[in-house]
Amino acid sequence: MSVEHRPDLVGEDLLALTRSLGRPERDLVILAEGNTSERLTDGRLVVKASGARMRDATAEDFVVAEVEPLAALIADPAATQDDLTAALDAGVVDGRRRRGSIETLVHVAVHAVAPAAYPAGFVAHTHPTEVVGLLASTYAEDAFARAAYSDEAVVLGTPLFVPYAQPGLDLGRVYLQCLREYADREGALPRLVLLANHGIVAIAPTADGADGITEMAVKAAAVRRIAYSVGGLAPLSTEAVAKFVARGDVTERRSNITAGLL
């Protein structure tokens, strides 16, 4: 079985992150949108179950997933969405069927690709209104190609844009390919992934890091919305960003800002 229901393996950091991201005033998710995960020491993932609300999640609202069988399913060209649905089934517990989120593959792909130099302990997938608005616009692919301000560059690094694919197996395949290409090119995973017409994925070694990346992505989207409304975005140049982050005084500040993110 690729997925099982093990509430005893759900950590407090994961629960706190999930509930924080689900707070209504943050406008990151509604209803049962979004999902989070934590990598266990044995390589398995604790990931939110399908249909569970993030804002009031409990340990009962998670399942534990094996990475390798689900990664193999992504790679199998003959696999279907029905195969994925079956693979995510953790069975009936206390009269209720427990199944991994339809977007479990978003989390699995990170750990199928993760370079050893970048410990991706936590993954947070949300649908912030500010960001989805941009990702559903004609600006989607280029909006985050260059940083709009310095702290954005420090926290978000170079985001990865993934073209739209239907949530589930289709998205898992496109997402995994894009992650691999990014890791081959950059030698690390992205901290922020932008899913066209869908949402974002924050990848970090800590729960606080995943929360901070999500928060900065929302501000970055709001800055762009305002800039586009008054004539257009004037992003920082690649050279300006490189010069800024290389400064001695910024190195120390960068370490403080990104504590838990890198």
Side-chain angles (χ1 to χ4, degrees):
M1 180 179 289
S2 299
V3 174
E4 60 178 332
H5 188 243
R6 289 288 305 276
D8 57 303
L9 295 179
V10 182
E12 287 301 319
D13 285 350
L14 180 60
L15 281 174
L17 171 64
T18 305
R19 293 168 183 159
S20 175
L21 295 175
R23 283 171 19 213
E25 67 270 21
R26 298 188 72 180
D27 193 25
L28 302 175
V29 295
I30 63 169
L31 303 176
E33 284 184 342
N35 34 81
T36 53
S37 70
E38 179 180 5
R39 184 184 178 113
L40 300 176
T41 55
D42 62 8
R44 291 182 297 168
L45 298 181
V46 181
V47 63
K48 188 179 78 72
S50 178
R53 286 179 179 252
M54 293 177 71
R55 70 183 186 190
D56 48 14
T58 71
E60 295 291 329
D61 295 317
F62 291 81
V63 296
V64 177
E66 299 276 356
V67 172
E68 290 187 8
L70 292 172
L73 192 148
I74 299 174
D76 182 359
T80 66
Q81 183 62 39
D82 286 342
D83 294 329
L84 175 60
T85 299
L88 294 176
D89 189 0
V92 177
V93 180
D94 296 331
R96 180 182 174 187
R97 182 163 298 282
R98 299 289 182 174
R99 195 187 307 275
S101 166
I102 189 176
E103 292 164 336
T104 296
L105 297 188
V106 167
H107 302 262
V108 167
V110 169
H111 299 285
V113 172
Y118 192 94
F122 290 82
V123 177
H125 171 46
T126 56
H127 304 168
T129 301
E130 285 279 4
V131 188
V132 174
L134 274 182
L135 296 179
S137 76
T138 56
Y139 297 105
E141 187 168 0
D142 298 323
F144 289 82
R146 289 159 59 189
Y149 58 101
S150 56
D151 280 354
E152 173 195 337
V154 170
V155 173
L156 300 183
T158 303
L160 167 64
F161 177 81
V162 176
Y164 180 79
Q166 191 174 96
L169 187 56
D170 288 350
L171 175 58
R173 286 171 171 154
V174 173
Y175 179 78
L176 178 59
Q177 179 183 345
C178 290
L179 276 179
R180 282 182 172 150
E181 291 171 354
Y182 184 102
D184 288 344
R185 182 174 66 250
E186 304 290 337
L189 289 173
R191 297 172 214 160
L192 175 67
V193 182
L194 305 159
L195 305 176
N197 299 86
H198 187 150
I200 64 173
V201 182
I203 304 169
T206 68
D208 284 346
D211 192 285
I213 291 166
T214 302
E215 192 169 32
M216 185 62 81
V218 173
K219 177 175 180 177
V223 167
R224 284 159 172 77
R225 172 177 53 78
I226 294 169
Y228 292 143
S229 73
V230 293
L233 180 69
L236 300 175
S237 69
T238 302
E239 294 76 18
V241 170
K243 184 177 180 179
F244 176 76
V245 299
R247 275 174 31 186
D249 61 323
V250 175
T251 300
E252 180 179 354
R253 182 166 178 272
R254 181 173 183 264
S255 177
N256 293 330
I257 292 175
T258 60
L261 274 65
L262 300 176

